Amino acid sequence: DYDPEFSPFYSYAIYNKYELINNYNEYPFPTRLDKSRLPVEDIHIINKGNYDELWYKVASDKYVVIARKVNSVIEAITLFAYIFCAFLFLVSCFRLLSLILQSKFRLSGLRKLWQLNIRTQVHTTIIFISLFSFVVIGIATISFFINRYNNNNRDRLSRAMQIMVNDLKNKIDDQHLFVGLYEGEHFASDAQLQSLIDEISEIHNTEVNLYDLNGQLKVTSRQIVYEKGILSEKMNPVAYYKLNKLKQVQVVQREHIGKLEYLSIYAPVRDESGNAFAYLNIPYFASQKELNQEISNFLVTIINLNAFIFLIAGVIALFIANRITQSFSVIGDKMKEVNLGKLNEEIIWKRDDEIGELVNEYNKMVRKLGESAAALAKSEREGAWREMARQVAHEIKNPLTPMKLSIQYLQKAIDNNSPNVKEMTASVASTLIEQIEHLSKIASDFSQFANIGNTRHEVFDLNEIINSLVELYQTNENLIINWQPVDQPVIVDLDKTQMNRLFTNLIQNAWEAYESDSISQVSIIEELQGDDRVQIRISDKGTGIPKEMHSRIFTPNFTTKSSGTGLGLAMCKSIVEQAKGDIWFETSEEGTTFYVVLPIKKNKVSD
């Protein structure tokens, strides 16, 4: 805090009878007031350049003038800096509290939340560098101010001590105050010496103490300090040791009065022969206000500068981070679009930088991926054709073998003129017809599987398809079908032929899940799911599907039966997926249920 009378921010002048009788600080007040230019009001403010003057009329010829430098821009900047720093502090505290709450006070959770992305890392790094530089510059500059202040004080005291020692010696010689140097009577009287010390103290505007060679105080310019016992009349022992024993020409050290710290300088006073006959001491009670004001002004300035540096650093960090992360986002988006089933585009990057190297590697990967995709597609096509050829050959070979054996058996009977050739011919013909039908079914299955993608949509009632299949299968005495349709038409916009194939395969599989000599029971249950989907459950009470076969049920060419192409359930899955539906199954030792969910026409379900 500053004494208002001696504030470093204000200057004042006091006029009596229009003449300057007192003033403070360095403002250029006039020594005499011009009566014609004096303000009429008792209190008046005048602006003169960078200063504002406050005039107070005490009497007709008495005035008090207070001047203050106008720092409106600096004050506004300072206020902005303080508000900005307070805002950053509050945001940091809020962010830290938010992270602690989100981590639920767990260190592991806090570490996970504290992971920074690239954009935040760039922001944090640039702002941290700005803050760190502010702290380093501030500490270094303040240390420089303090050292310079202390060194200046020491130099000032050293010069003042030399001047006062010389002045004291000259005055002692001029006034013939020495009586005898070696008889122990160095001074005439304490009164004469006190007068001399008071004169030197007044001339140099500082306190002066004079000690004898035993370190005992002889005279001082501030006698009351020693009379009250605030300071001892004995010389500081450290200073006495350095001067008396070590014979140093000067000692500067810090001393204390309670909590007050001050500089104190000691020097010996020598005669013409160079022998010391007294020790002169100057205590310098330097006020810290000047140093504190200089440090305060520096801190205000550097805080103002750093407030704008923070803003500029934040904008630069945002620009750099967005530029870097935008580049990564472009690469990331392109990587998300990478697919073996389509032509992948390369990234065009014109700058030759680190990101450009990453882009080049990505483009190389895309080209290699395209080549690998083409090779893989070719390999898959060749493999598919080989597998299809193997399956077709296997399926055709199975009926050809009994056909060949039957013909050979009939031919042998004819050659041997067997009497029952006619009956044998009829049996062979029946076998050939049965095997030919089997060949026809194989060709039909492969043809249907190949043409699944060729759909022809039409609007129809799904219940009509299921009802026709139920009536067809119920003609068999070994099959009982329990059908529970919804109580309204189920209108769909799908391929009618494929729906027929779908439910034919599922009902056929449910029937064949039973032993051949048992009566099969199949249940078909419909259930609406909202107004846009229908679920059909087809259940049997067979032995279930073994667990090791669950993942391969919908795989082409896979079958659990001794005969068949293994295309039925694969065909069912493809049909449902093309209809934008879902198909799955649940199985146990008590039976299997296939679920089929298909889309229906909205607002087309009528009572």
mmCIF file of all heavy atoms in Angstrom, residues 236-253:
data_model
loop_
_atom_site.group_PDB
_atom_site.id
_atom_site.type_symbol
_atom_site.label_atom_id
_atom_site.label_comp_id
_atom_site.label_asym_id
_atom_site.label_seq_id
_atom_site.Cartn_x
_atom_site.Cartn_y
_atom_site.Cartn_z
ATOM 1 N N ASN A 236 28.085 -3.951 15.085
ATOM 2 C CA ASN A 236 27.786 -5.308 14.623
ATOM 3 C C ASN A 236 29.052 -6.158 14.665
ATOM 4 O O ASN A 236 30.089 -5.755 14.114
ATOM 5 C CB ASN A 236 27.238 -5.257 13.200
ATOM 6 C CG ASN A 236 26.824 -6.624 12.696
ATOM 7 O OD1 ASN A 236 27.662 -7.384 12.236
ATOM 8 N ND2 ASN A 236 25.538 -6.915 12.790
ATOM 9 N N PRO A 237 29.022 -7.310 15.344
ATOM 10 C CA PRO A 237 30.257 -8.087 15.541
ATOM 11 C C PRO A 237 30.888 -8.578 14.242
ATOM 12 O O PRO A 237 32.118 -8.645 14.145
ATOM 13 C CB PRO A 237 29.801 -9.256 16.419
ATOM 14 C CG PRO A 237 28.325 -9.327 16.246
ATOM 15 C CD PRO A 237 27.868 -7.923 16.005
ATOM 16 N N VAL A 238 30.077 -8.913 13.279
ATOM 17 C CA VAL A 238 30.638 -9.391 12.016
ATOM 18 C C VAL A 238 31.400 -8.276 11.313
ATOM 19 O O VAL A 238 32.528 -8.464 10.826
ATOM 20 C CB VAL A 238 29.523 -9.956 11.111
ATOM 21 C CG1 VAL A 238 30.088 -10.364 9.748
ATOM 22 C CG2 VAL A 238 28.831 -11.138 11.774
ATOM 23 N N ALA A 239 30.773 -7.096 11.300
ATOM 24 C CA ALA A 239 31.435 -5.957 10.663
ATOM 25 C C ALA A 239 32.698 -5.563 11.444
ATOM 26 O O ALA A 239 33.732 -5.226 10.845
ATOM 27 C CB ALA A 239 30.472 -4.783 10.579
ATOM 28 N N TYR A 240 32.603 -5.609 12.793
ATOM 29 C CA TYR A 240 33.770 -5.272 13.608
ATOM 30 C C TYR A 240 34.914 -6.247 13.355
ATOM 31 O O TYR A 240 36.080 -5.839 13.246
ATOM 32 C CB TYR A 240 33.384 -5.278 15.093
ATOM 33 C CG TYR A 240 34.521 -4.928 16.004
ATOM 34 C CD1 TYR A 240 34.936 -3.600 16.147
ATOM 35 C CD2 TYR A 240 35.189 -5.921 16.713
ATOM 36 C CE1 TYR A 240 35.998 -3.284 16.989
ATOM 37 C CE2 TYR A 240 36.241 -5.622 17.548
ATOM 38 C CZ TYR A 240 36.651 -4.294 17.678
ATOM 39 O OH TYR A 240 37.711 -3.984 18.496
ATOM 40 N N TYR A 241 34.614 -7.512 13.214
ATOM 41 C CA TYR A 241 35.653 -8.521 12.964
ATOM 42 C C TYR A 241 36.324 -8.271 11.613
ATOM 43 O O TYR A 241 37.554 -8.347 11.490
ATOM 44 C CB TYR A 241 35.025 -9.912 13.007
ATOM 45 C CG TYR A 241 35.975 -11.020 12.627
ATOM 46 C CD1 TYR A 241 36.929 -11.489 13.522
ATOM 47 C CD2 TYR A 241 35.929 -11.590 11.349
ATOM 48 C CE1 TYR A 241 37.816 -12.496 13.168
ATOM 49 C CE2 TYR A 241 36.807 -12.601 10.987
ATOM 50 C CZ TYR A 241 37.752 -13.046 11.898
ATOM 51 O OH TYR A 241 38.625 -14.035 11.534
ATOM 52 N N LYS A 242 35.537 -7.968 10.599
ATOM 53 C CA LYS A 242 36.107 -7.755 9.268
ATOM 54 C C LYS A 242 36.971 -6.496 9.205
ATOM 55 O O LYS A 242 37.986 -6.449 8.495
ATOM 56 C CB LYS A 242 34.994 -7.684 8.232
ATOM 57 C CG LYS A 242 34.289 -9.016 8.016
ATOM 58 C CD LYS A 242 33.198 -8.884 6.965
ATOM 59 C CE LYS A 242 32.514 -10.243 6.735
ATOM 60 N NZ LYS A 242 31.435 -10.159 5.735
ATOM 61 N N LEU A 243 36.564 -5.440 9.939
ATOM 62 C CA LEU A 243 37.318 -4.199 9.890
ATOM 63 C C LEU A 243 38.535 -4.248 10.812
ATOM 64 O O LEU A 243 39.631 -3.793 10.452
ATOM 65 C CB LEU A 243 36.416 -3.024 10.277
ATOM 66 C CG LEU A 243 35.287 -2.678 9.300
ATOM 67 C CD1 LEU A 243 34.450 -1.540 9.859
ATOM 68 C CD2 LEU A 243 35.847 -2.288 7.936
ATOM 69 N N ASN A 244 38.350 -4.793 12.035
ATOM 70 C CA ASN A 244 39.408 -4.744 13.038
ATOM 71 C C ASN A 244 40.424 -5.864 12.850
ATOM 72 O O ASN A 244 41.642 -5.630 12.993
ATOM 73 C CB ASN A 244 38.784 -4.810 14.433
ATOM 74 C CG ASN A 244 39.799 -4.560 15.531
ATOM 75 O OD1 ASN A 244 40.425 -5.493 16.030
ATOM 76 N ND2 ASN A 244 39.964 -3.285 15.912
ATOM 77 N N LYS A 245 39.968 -7.039 12.570
ATOM 78 C CA LYS A 245 40.865 -8.180 12.461
ATOM 79 C C LYS A 245 41.331 -8.429 11.023
ATOM 80 O O LYS A 245 42.506 -8.678 10.774
ATOM 81 C CB LYS A 245 40.166 -9.433 12.986
ATOM 82 C CG LYS A 245 39.773 -9.339 14.447
ATOM 83 C CD LYS A 245 40.995 -9.173 15.352
ATOM 84 C CE LYS A 245 40.612 -9.116 16.832
ATOM 85 N NZ LYS A 245 41.791 -8.935 17.699
ATOM 86 N N LEU A 246 40.359 -8.399 10.071
ATOM 87 C CA LEU A 246 40.709 -8.679 8.677
ATOM 88 C C LEU A 246 41.199 -7.441 7.939
ATOM 89 O O LEU A 246 41.683 -7.555 6.798
ATOM 90 C CB LEU A 246 39.496 -9.276 7.942
ATOM 91 C CG LEU A 246 38.918 -10.575 8.527
ATOM 92 C CD1 LEU A 246 37.752 -11.068 7.665
ATOM 93 C CD2 LEU A 246 39.993 -11.662 8.618
ATOM 94 N N LYS A 247 41.044 -6.281 8.567
ATOM 95 C CA LYS A 247 41.529 -5.010 8.010
ATOM 96 C C LYS A 247 40.933 -4.706 6.632
ATOM 97 O O LYS A 247 41.604 -4.197 5.734
ATOM 98 C CB LYS A 247 43.058 -5.014 7.906
ATOM 99 C CG LYS A 247 43.783 -5.316 9.209
ATOM 100 C CD LYS A 247 43.452 -4.302 10.294
ATOM 101 C CE LYS A 247 44.213 -4.616 11.580
ATOM 102 N NZ LYS A 247 43.909 -3.634 12.654
ATOM 103 N N GLN A 248 39.658 -5.025 6.441
ATOM 104 C CA GLN A 248 38.998 -4.707 5.183
ATOM 105 C C GLN A 248 38.718 -3.211 5.119
ATOM 106 O O GLN A 248 38.462 -2.556 6.153
ATOM 107 C CB GLN A 248 37.698 -5.501 5.048
ATOM 108 C CG GLN A 248 37.913 -6.998 4.916
ATOM 109 C CD GLN A 248 36.622 -7.761 4.684
ATOM 110 O OE1 GLN A 248 35.547 -7.166 4.581
ATOM 111 N NE2 GLN A 248 36.729 -9.080 4.586
ATOM 112 N N VAL A 249 38.719 -2.670 3.923
ATOM 113 C CA VAL A 249 38.522 -1.225 3.763
ATOM 114 C C VAL A 249 37.033 -0.858 3.768
ATOM 115 O O VAL A 249 36.693 0.325 3.932
ATOM 116 C CB VAL A 249 39.170 -0.734 2.452
ATOM 117 C CG1 VAL A 249 40.682 -0.937 2.496
ATOM 118 C CG2 VAL A 249 38.571 -1.457 1.254
ATOM 119 N N GLN A 250 36.171 -1.855 3.607
ATOM 120 C CA GLN A 250 34.731 -1.551 3.551
ATOM 121 C C GLN A 250 33.954 -2.844 3.769
ATOM 122 O O GLN A 250 34.362 -3.912 3.289
ATOM 123 C CB GLN A 250 34.361 -0.946 2.191
ATOM 124 C CG GLN A 250 32.998 -0.301 2.144
ATOM 125 C CD GLN A 250 32.758 0.363 0.794
ATOM 126 O OE1 GLN A 250 32.325 -0.288 -0.143
ATOM 127 N NE2 GLN A 250 33.092 1.658 0.703
ATOM 128 N N VAL A 251 32.852 -2.752 4.463
ATOM 129 C CA VAL A 251 31.978 -3.901 4.711
ATOM 130 C C VAL A 251 30.539 -3.478 4.429
ATOM 131 O O VAL A 251 30.066 -2.485 5.017
ATOM 132 C CB VAL A 251 32.110 -4.428 6.152
ATOM 133 C CG1 VAL A 251 31.090 -5.557 6.390
ATOM 134 C CG2 VAL A 251 33.519 -4.915 6.416
ATOM 135 N N VAL A 252 29.887 -4.208 3.535
ATOM 136 C CA VAL A 252 28.467 -3.974 3.246
ATOM 137 C C VAL A 252 27.711 -5.243 3.588
ATOM 138 O O VAL A 252 28.052 -6.329 3.087
ATOM 139 C CB VAL A 252 28.249 -3.603 1.760
ATOM 140 C CG1 VAL A 252 26.762 -3.343 1.511
ATOM 141 C CG2 VAL A 252 29.073 -2.391 1.384
ATOM 142 N N GLN A 253 26.691 -5.145 4.413
ATOM 143 C CA GLN A 253 25.946 -6.320 4.824
ATOM 144 C C GLN A 253 24.511 -5.939 5.163
ATOM 145 O O GLN A 253 24.187 -4.758 5.354
ATOM 146 C CB GLN A 253 26.614 -6.978 6.029
ATOM 147 C CG GLN A 253 26.639 -6.104 7.273
ATOM 148 C CD GLN A 253 27.403 -6.764 8.419
ATOM 149 O OE1 GLN A 253 28.253 -7.622 8.190
ATOM 150 N NE2 GLN A 253 27.103 -6.349 9.647
#
